[in-house]
Each structure stands twice: as structure tokens, then as C-alpha cells.
Amino acid sequence: MDTELVRTNKMWLSRLLRWSVLGICWTSYIFYRGCVIGQIKYDREKGKLIIQPRNIWTKRIALCLKIIAFSLNYFGIPYFSIAFILFLPMEISKTMFSAPKFFEILMSSVIVQLSIINSIRLCYWMSSLPWNRSFVGLVNDVIDITNLMESTVGPLYLEGIFLLILHTFQFGLTMLQIVGYSQMQFHIFSLYNLLLELFFNIFVVYQLLLLSWIATLNRFLKIYLQDRKQIKRQRLKVIKLFRLYSRISNVHTSIHVIWLPVIGMLFSDILLLVSSSAFIIRSIIFKHWITNVILDRKYWMAALGAQSSFLRILFIGLGNDQLALLQCFIRLQLLVIDLCYSTHDQQDQNFVWDVKTLQICFDLQLRVQPIRNRIMSVHQECGCPFVLDFFFCILINALCCAQYGMSFKVHSLIFSDVIS
């Protein structure tokens, strides 16, 4: 009875992993193709991504529709006016330095300019042919590794269901943020968050698959150690999985080459996160959140939705800690395998020699080039301690901005027309 319950639970986790991965991938793919961006297409016959140039008339019609849609929504007018104010002649700027209002204009301008620059970078990557080719190659490698893993040791299971729940909550906040900024006529923020979420969704899928790969390798090593017979078929799987891990490590390194520039944008969102947190703090202090007359619902939607930026950092940190824990288990099981083979008889010298050689290479790779979620550079890792530092940095700056605004009666940055 217990065995059937465990088997049912594993099947449920396997289906949940497949449904969640397919759901996130197809949602992102439909948006990507629907907006006529890039040249990536999914080939159903091969089951892989390919590069296929779009029809020139389709691209022209889509471009015209985008320009018309942005023009109808007065796209760009508020942002270029802010930039114009920022670059006023020096004489006028000197007078602004003496006014607390300059702080609000400066911070709002920096936030807007960062959003514009990041949106341009994201659109450029999605339209760049070299980037598309690199992305297609890496996605196909991930698909191959998943198929090889399932054909070798069976179906993959979802590891870290809390990460899937966290991403679902973060995705909901992002949609809330996009709707709020659209109602506030800050369309550049809506566009930027939509593009950034598209990139982050792909990372979430890879993170879920990566955790399932490492956990599957752990489970197989555990079963292999418990099986005293150690039949020849199982031994061949051990060698195959050792080599497969090396391929996983190489793919992970290549993925971080194209991911590190994107993750830098997550940290540039700290300004918008501080601004929205200061708005929430001031609203609670002045009790504006009680009535809808003083405070419109759309501002709350944008401010609360902006907290999704912190949840993205939290997702990376929790996933990295889970990866480190799984790799520690692998290292311990390798030690047990080494101790078992130290007393092994001499009947399978070739197999023992191959396993020991692969085990040494595997252990060196774990120590020299561990699979981790890098941030900003290859020498930095994002874990829960870093997430706590990031959170307190946001909190302290938000409190300072709220205190500064209450002292000088300065509005809360991009929400300046709400709080008086």
C-alpha cells in the first residue's frame, strides 16, 4: 500500500513537472511569435527549435501595427519630457538643486531611462540573429539532455515545488504591475516588464529541469548503492550518467554566458522597487489606503506588482541553495561508492577503473566548476544570504525615501500625482 502511494506521488510530481514546463514554454512561445520578434520557430516533426526567417511583409505589417498602437497611447511623451527636464541648461539646474523637488525628478528620470535602455537591449537580443542561434542551440541541448535522462533512468520528477508556487505568485504580481502601469499611461514600464518576464520564464523552466536532473542523478546513485548485485546494465548507466553530468555542466556554463547580461537588469529594478515600497510606506502612514477617493486602485496595482522584482531574486537564491544541497548529496554518495570499490574484488577491473577515473573527474568538476546560479559575474553567486542583504537594502532605502518625502513634502516619485 505504501509502495503504491509513493508511486502515485511520483507520477503526480512527474506530470506536474511536465505540465508546468510545457505551460510556461508555450505561453512564452505564443507571445514571442505573436509579437513577430526574432526568427525562432518550433519544429513539431523534429521536436526542436529552428531558425526560420520571417516573411518580410509580415514584419512590415507588424511594425506598422506596433507604431500605431504606441502612438494611440501617447507612447514616449511623458518620458522624453522628463529627459528634457533632466538636461536643462546649467543655470536652471543649479536652481533645481536647492529644491527637494529635484530629487523626485532625478530619480524618476533615472528609472525611466533605465527602463527604456533595458527594453531596447531586450528587443535587440530577441531580434539578433547570433543571439537567436545561440539560444536555439542551448534549448535543443536542454531537450536532448532531458530525453537522454528519461531514457536512461525513467521519468523526471518536480524538485522544489515551492519554487513553482513562488514563480506562479511572481507571475501574478507581474501581470498586476503591467495592468497598473498601463492604466497610469506608463507604457514603457509595461513593455519592459513584459519582455523581462519572457526572458525570466525561460530561466524558470531551465531551473526546474536542472534541479530535476541533479535530483534524478542522486536517486539513481542511491538505488545503485542499495543494490548489492549491481548488474551490468546498472553499471553501464553509472558511466553514462557521469558523462551526462559533464554535458550538463557545459550547457550550464553556456547558458550563463547569455543569462548574465539579463540578470543585471533584475538588479537595476531596485530603484523602481524602492520607489514603490516608499509609496506603500507613505500610504500606510497617512492611511491613504483606507479610502479609494484619495488613492486610485491603479497606483496600488502598480506598487504591489513591482514587488515581483524581489521575488525574481528570491527565486534565483532559493534555486541556488537547492542546487548546492543536491550537489552535496552527490559528493557524499561518490564517497560511499569510492569506499565500496576499495574492497571490490578483481573480477571487473576494467569497469572499476573506468568508474574510478570518471569519479575523480566528476569530483574535480564539482569542486572546480560547480553548477551554480551566477549573478553579475562568474565570481558571484546568489543564495539566501545575498537575498536577505538585497531585501534589507531595499527596505532601508525605501524608509529613507519615505522619510525624505514626508520631511520636505516631496511626492513619491512616479506616483507624484496621488499623494499630496
Side-chain angles (χ1 to χ4, degrees):
M1 189 68 181
D2 294 336
T3 305
E4 293 181 359
L5 182 61
V6 172
R7 186 178 302 174
T8 303
N9 187 34
K10 288 184 177 180
M11 290 300 298
W12 178 77
L13 290 175
S14 177
R15 291 175 182 174
L16 183 59
L17 174 65
R18 184 174 296 274
W19 291 339
S20 58
V21 167
L22 290 177
I24 297 173
C25 287
W26 278 110
T27 301
S28 304
Y29 179 76
I30 290 173
F31 170 77
Y32 174 85
R33 295 291 296 183
C35 292
V36 192
I37 309 173
Q39 304 179 22
I40 299 175
K41 185 178 180 180
Y42 179 74
D43 191 338
R44 290 182 178 271
E45 296 181 357
K46 298 180 180 179
K48 296 181 179 180
L49 295 181
I50 60 174
I51 296 294
Q52 183 177 12
R54 292 180 180 269
N55 184 279
I56 185 64
W57 288 107
T58 303
K59 294 172 63 176
R60 290 177 179 177
I61 294 174
L63 180 61
C64 293
L65 292 176
K66 293 174 186 177
I67 294 175
I68 293 173
F70 289 145
S71 300
L72 292 177
N73 288 289
Y74 306 102
F75 178 79
I77 295 178
Y79 317 115
F80 290 113
S81 62
I82 292 176
F84 177 76
I85 294 175
L86 183 61
F87 295 103
L88 284 174
M90 187 60 65
E91 292 78 8
I92 302 178
S93 298
K94 289 180 180 179
T95 60
M96 294 177 65
F97 270 108
S98 59
K101 188 70 175 178
F102 177 76
F103 174 76
E104 177 192 356
I105 297 176
L106 177 62
M107 290 297 295
S108 299
S109 300
V110 172
I111 292 173
V112 170
Q113 297 305 318
L114 281 176
S115 300
I116 293 176
I117 293 173
N118 290 339
S119 299
I120 293 174
R121 293 174 65 191
L122 292 174
C123 289
Y124 171 76
W125 289 333
M126 296 174 69
S127 304
S128 172
L129 182 58
W131 191 92
N132 281 198
R133 287 174 177 170
S134 300
F135 180 78
V136 167
L138 290 174
V139 171
N140 290 334
D141 286 339
V142 171
I143 295 174
D144 289 339
I145 292 174
T146 302
N147 293 333
L148 286 173
M149 192 73 72
E150 290 186 337
S151 63
T152 304
V153 294
L156 302 175
Y157 304 131
L158 178 64
E159 291 294 329
I161 191 172
F162 60 92
L163 291 176
L164 182 60
I165 296 174
L166 179 64
H167 173 65
T168 303
F169 185 59
Q170 175 267 323
F171 182 79
L173 287 180
T174 301
M175 294 297 103
L176 187 69
Q177 182 185 21
I178 291 173
V179 173
Y181 282 128
S182 297
Q183 294 179 357
M184 293 167 60
Q185 300 299 315
F186 286 119
H187 302 292
I188 187 62
F189 293 130
S190 299
L191 175 63
Y192 165 62
N193 282 279
L194 197 59
L195 294 175
L196 185 61
E197 185 64 22
L198 181 62
F199 277 78
F200 188 73
N201 283 347
I202 305 303
F203 178 80
V204 168
V205 170
Y206 170 70
Q207 187 71 38
L208 294 176
L209 291 175
L210 178 61
L211 288 173
S212 65
W213 294 342
I214 306 300
T216 300
L217 182 58
N218 263 313
R219 283 194 300 269
F220 180 80
L221 291 177
K222 182 179 179 181
I223 296 173
Y224 177 75
L225 288 171
Q226 292 175 352
D227 187 7
R228 295 184 178 181
K229 295 181 180 180
Q230 296 180 358
I231 59 177
K232 186 176 181 180
R233 186 178 178 183
Q234 294 291 92
R235 293 178 178 181
L236 293 177
K237 285 184 180 180
V238 172
I239 297 177
K240 190 174 182 179
L241 287 176
F242 277 155
R243 294 171 179 170
L244 194 57
Y245 180 87
S246 179
R247 185 177 176 184
I248 292 173
S249 180
N250 294 333
V251 169
H252 185 77
T253 303
S254 300
I255 286 177
H256 269 282
V257 171
I258 64 174
W259 170 246
L260 284 177
V262 179
I263 200 173
M265 300 182 185
L266 300 182
F267 294 101
S268 66
D269 287 346
I270 190 172
L271 292 177
L272 186 59
L273 193 55
V274 168
S275 173
S276 60
S277 300
F279 166 77
I280 294 174
I281 292 172
R282 288 197 61 197
S283 300
I284 293 176
I285 291 176
F286 288 110
K287 298 182 179 180
H288 288 324
W289 54 277
I290 297 179
T291 60
N292 290 328
V293 178
I294 301 176
L295 191 61
D296 201 306
R297 192 192 320 176
K298 60 186 178 183
Y299 295 94
W300 267 109
M301 292 171 62
L304 292 177
Q307 308 308 310
S308 61
S309 299
F310 173 72
L311 295 185
R312 294 190 185 104
I313 304 297
L314 180 61
F315 180 93
I316 297 174
L318 292 176
N320 202 30
D321 286 350
Q322 185 73 6
L323 274 175
L325 183 62
L326 290 174
Q327 288 190 315
C328 286
F329 288 159
I330 291 180
R331 196 172 287 119
L332 289 174
Q333 294 188 94
L334 287 177
L335 177 61
V336 176
I337 291 176
D338 188 35
L339 295 175
C340 290
Y341 281 131
S342 62
T343 59
H344 202 277
D345 55 16
Q346 303 297 319
Q347 61 180 357
D348 291 324
Q349 284 295 328
N350 293 333
F351 172 74
V352 173
W353 176 260
D354 291 341
V355 170
K356 279 186 173 293
T357 303
L358 290 172
Q359 182 179 338
I360 293 173
C361 296
F362 186 72
D363 188 59
L364 288 174
Q365 193 173 23
L366 281 174
R367 297 177 185 274
V368 177
Q369 192 181 6
I371 297 178
R372 295 287 188 274
N373 293 325
R374 310 293 181 181
I375 53 171
M376 305 301 289
S377 70
V378 295
H379 303 292
Q380 295 177 330
E381 295 178 1
C382 181
C384 285
F386 179 87
V387 173
L388 287 176
D389 292 339
F390 185 79
F391 170 74
F392 284 114
C393 178
I394 294 171
L395 182 61
I396 292 174
N397 282 276
L399 289 173
C400 291
C401 288
Q403 185 269 337
Y404 182 83
M406 290 184 291
S407 299
F408 293 97
K409 295 183 180 180
V410 176
H411 304 313
S412 185
L413 304 179
I414 60 174
F415 306 98
S416 58
D417 59 336
V418 186
I419 302 178
S420 58

